[in-house]
Amino acid sequence: MPEDVQMNESEPQPAAPPPAAAPALSTLHHLKEIASVIEAGSLSKEVRRISRAFRLTVALRRRLAARDVSAFLGFALPASSEAYARLTALVPKEDDTEMDVDAAAPTTQISIKHGLPEIEIYCYLLVLIFLIDQNKYDEAKACATASIARLKNLNRRTVDVLASRLYFYYSNVYELTNRLAEIRGNLLALHRMATLHRDELGQETLLNLLLRNYLHYNLYDQAEKLRSKAPRFEAHSNQQFCRYLFYLGKIRTIQLEYTDAKESLLQAARKAPTTARGFRIQCNKWAIIVRLLLGEIPERTVFMQKGMKKALTPYFELTNAVRVGDLELFMAVADKFASTFSADRTRNLIVRLRHNVIRTGLRNISISYSRISLADIAKKLRLDSENPVADAESIVAKAIRDGAIDATIDHANGWMVSKETGDVYSTNEPQIAFNSRIAFCLNMHNEAVKAMRFPPNSHKEKESAEKRRERLQQEEELAKHMAEEDDDDF
């Protein structure tokens, strides 16, 4: 029996139940915390706090409900204010009795100071985002118009971050309803106001919105005139800078400045965040067309990028037709994907590629044959004109004049005689190519160094433990919400 007693004593005790997980905070409580962050940024005049508040809002965007927005408006705005009456009328009423109770919130109550312009503008922005997500575009347009009218009476640097986002959604809601032309005058007036107020972030945002407005209606000359005369300064937002490069690349492409267009489009695709897949696809589509117009053939890896293979399939087949120099295949691909090219607004550029296809086929012929008749050239290029031999002769003569091929024309016998190809390594071409690659790498390094951010006077002041904890917490929050911010911006 003593053994049995010993065994009972050694039996394991039941494990203690795990501590209950802390209940999740309600959306309303998160909105109140964001309001307190905006209040702190307004009183201390720290713009970075306002930026942080908007990033936190992006994380809550998918969880917003009408009851949360209405309750927050009652918390943030005085009941007797004009903004409260206007915004509560725009938010739809819900009959749902299941309210998002703040039982999970901490016992400490959050209170803010009423009457701050930053809080009021944030309420406009929150309601506008909510209405757009709910597809209530008429109410969203009314909210956006009222918010822009309110912004015209403010000149505070702490409002600039929120104002730039309001400008974006103001243009977005009119674009969704296909009424962009109506707000062009207002955008120009807002850009002039931002310039007078030295609001560089607002200028940057409004310039991109105006360029998008002009390009939407194919007004490329007006877009270039505005871009060339607008004030220039260092970019404050990576997203806005990427958009600017994309619009600049489109303008340069239409103006036949393909080299500058290629550089702008590739830089925009490289700088864009990986989560902005749609934007990067558009940049790659235009960059592929521009490279084909320059006589280059994009690498196969361009079309095999993760998440882009299906969207770039029409451009892959187009590139293959240009690479082979088959005019008939090129026309078949252009007709097959005509709707896709029209939706991407690249159909007019693809029409320009016909000459490049012919020139590529002619270059392949000149490499393969030391001597070939013009009639055979017309047959291989599949020229279907009334006098294909004369057309082939003019095409060959123009290619020889432009330096595309190294050959001569024997008019008496109707031949094209190709010259022997020399050793390219005996020329300066390898040195030029190597130098361009070095310059590209050096420019990328310089841009990366310029993009690095350091806290002011970090070499003079020693950081305390409390400030260090606060900085690390802000960096963690920034990394956490960066993906949501990029998705929203693009």
Side-chain angles (χ1 to χ4, degrees):
M1 295 302 298
E3 294 178 359
D4 293 339
V5 173
Q6 185 66 29
M7 288 178 62
N8 291 334
E9 290 177 353
S10 63
E11 285 181 358
Q13 299 295 326
L25 296 177
S26 67
T27 304
L28 177 58
H29 184 80
H30 283 296
L31 290 174
K32 291 179 180 180
E33 288 182 339
I34 292 173
S36 65
V37 172
I38 295 176
E39 179 190 28
S42 174
L43 297 178
S44 60
K45 298 187 181 337
E46 293 186 62
V47 179
R48 63 183 181 86
R49 290 182 181 268
I50 312 294
S51 302
R52 178 189 170 200
F54 179 74
R55 288 195 298 270
L56 295 173
T57 306
V58 172
L60 292 176
R61 182 170 179 174
R62 295 177 179 87
R63 296 164 48 189
L64 285 177
R67 58 178 176 270
D68 299 322
V69 177
S70 298
F72 177 73
L73 293 177
F75 165 79
L77 297 174
S80 59
S81 64
E82 181 182 356
Y84 177 79
R86 181 182 292 116
L87 293 177
T88 51
L90 293 173
V91 177
K93 304 296 186 296
E94 287 189 355
D95 296 333
D96 188 5
T97 56
E98 296 180 4
M99 296 297 293
D100 196 5
V101 183
D102 268 350
T107 55
T108 57
Q109 296 296 325
I110 300 176
S111 61
I112 61 172
K113 179 181 179 182
H114 287 166
L116 291 176
E118 291 81 4
I119 297 292
E120 181 182 350
I121 296 301
Y122 176 75
C123 290
Y124 275 108
L125 179 60
L126 182 68
V127 173
L128 178 57
I129 292 174
F130 174 74
L131 292 174
I132 292 176
D133 291 341
Q134 298 296 318
N135 298 329
K136 297 183 181 298
Y137 298 134
D138 293 335
E139 294 85 348
K141 283 162 59 172
C143 178
T145 304
S147 64
I148 295 300
R150 181 70 179 93
L151 277 175
K152 291 180 179 179
N153 299 323
L154 297 175
N155 184 15
R156 294 163 66 100
R157 300 286 70 80
T158 48
V159 178
D160 291 346
V161 176
L162 300 175
S164 66
R165 306 312 307 162
L166 270 177
Y167 299 148
F168 173 79
Y169 290 110
Y170 173 58
S171 177
N172 184 36
V173 69
Y174 275 86
E175 183 176 2
L176 291 172
T177 55
N178 199 23
R179 309 286 288 275
L180 269 179
E182 296 180 5
I183 63 169
R184 190 179 303 152
N186 289 338
L187 292 177
L188 288 168
L190 290 171
H191 185 269
R192 181 170 60 251
M193 182 184 73
T195 304
L196 295 175
H197 290 172
R198 299 184 181 275
D199 175 12
E200 294 186 351
L201 182 58
Q203 294 178 59
E204 194 175 31
T205 304
L206 288 164
L207 176 60
N208 284 335
L209 294 176
L210 283 165
L211 292 177
R212 184 181 184 88
N213 197 308
Y214 284 125
L215 298 185
H216 182 78
Y217 295 99
N218 296 323
L219 302 174
Y220 287 92
D221 290 338
Q222 295 185 35
E224 173 58 20
K225 289 178 181 178
L226 172 67
R227 188 208 62 79
S228 60
K229 295 181 181 180
R232 298 182 182 181
F233 43 81
E234 186 178 355
H236 290 264
S237 169
N238 180 61
Q239 289 82 4
Q240 297 298 334
F241 186 50
C242 289
R243 287 196 186 94
Y244 175 78
L245 290 173
F246 177 59
Y247 298 144
L248 177 60
K250 293 177 72 172
I251 294 172
R252 291 285 183 258
T253 302
I254 298 300
Q255 294 178 337
L256 308 180
E257 300 177 11
Y258 298 135
T259 303
D260 295 339
K262 171 191 168 185
E263 182 179 352
S264 297
L265 292 168
L266 291 179
Q267 190 177 4
R270 190 179 70 249
K271 282 181 170 291
T274 55
T275 53
R277 185 178 301 171
F279 178 81
R280 293 171 60 231
I281 287 174
Q282 288 297 321
C283 291
N284 278 284
K285 286 178 178 179
W286 279 75
I288 289 168
I289 297 295
V290 169
R291 294 183 66 180
L292 291 175
L293 289 169
L294 283 170
E296 303 177 6
I297 303 298
E299 300 81 5
R300 196 181 188 90
T301 54
V302 173
F303 305 95
M304 300 301 170
Q305 298 181 62
K306 184 178 180 181
M308 300 187 188
K309 185 175 179 180
K310 183 178 180 181
L312 296 180
T313 297
Y315 294 86
F316 175 73
E317 295 190 19
L318 187 72
T319 302
N320 187 51
V322 175
R323 180 182 62 83
V324 175
D326 191 335
L327 186 60
E328 187 174 339
L329 177 61
F330 170 78
M331 298 304 296
V333 172
D335 292 338
K336 179 181 178 182
F337 299 104
S339 59
T340 302
F341 297 142
S342 298
D344 295 337
R345 298 194 173 192
T346 56
R347 187 170 177 80
N348 292 335
L349 300 177
I350 291 171
V351 173
R352 300 182 189 177
L353 281 175
R354 183 178 183 276
H355 180 69
N356 293 61
V357 176
I358 296 174
R359 178 171 293 189
T360 302
L362 183 60
R363 188 183 300 116
N364 294 336
I365 292 172
S366 68
I367 294 174
S368 303
Y369 297 90
S370 60
R371 186 180 68 182
I372 185 173
S373 66
L374 295 176
D376 290 339
I377 291 176
K379 188 181 298 183
K380 288 183 178 295
L381 293 178
R382 302 181 182 181
L383 300 178
D384 54 356
S385 58
E386 296 180 358
N387 192 353
V389 177
D391 289 346
E393 184 175 1
S394 64
I395 290 172
V396 172
K398 189 173 187 303
I400 293 173
R401 186 196 65 184
D402 296 341
I405 59 175
D406 191 6
T408 57
I409 299 178
D410 187 347
H411 295 281
N413 298 316
W415 293 336
M416 182 188 76
V417 181
S418 301
K419 297 181 180 178
E420 295 184 1
T421 56
D423 183 13
V424 70
Y425 290 99
S426 62
T427 65
N428 291 331
E429 288 188 19
Q431 181 181 358
I432 294 172
F434 189 55
N435 183 64
S436 65
R437 295 180 183 181
I438 293 175
F440 174 79
C441 294
L442 290 176
N443 288 335
M444 189 189 308
H445 173 266
N446 292 336
E447 291 175 3
V449 172
K450 291 178 181 178
M452 296 176 68
R453 296 181 179 180
F454 301 94
N457 300 325
S458 59
H459 61 288
K460 298 179 181 179
E461 302 176 359
K462 290 186 177 181
E463 192 176 33
S464 63
E466 183 179 355
K467 288 185 177 180
R468 183 173 182 274
R469 282 195 300 269
E470 182 180 356
R471 178 177 59 82
L472 292 176
Q473 182 181 2
Q474 292 175 359
E475 290 177 356
E476 290 177 0
E477 292 176 352
L478 174 62
K480 180 179 178 182
H481 300 298
M482 189 62 71
E484 288 86 350
E485 177 191 8
D486 293 335
D487 283 337
D488 179 71
D489 281 345
F490 287 94

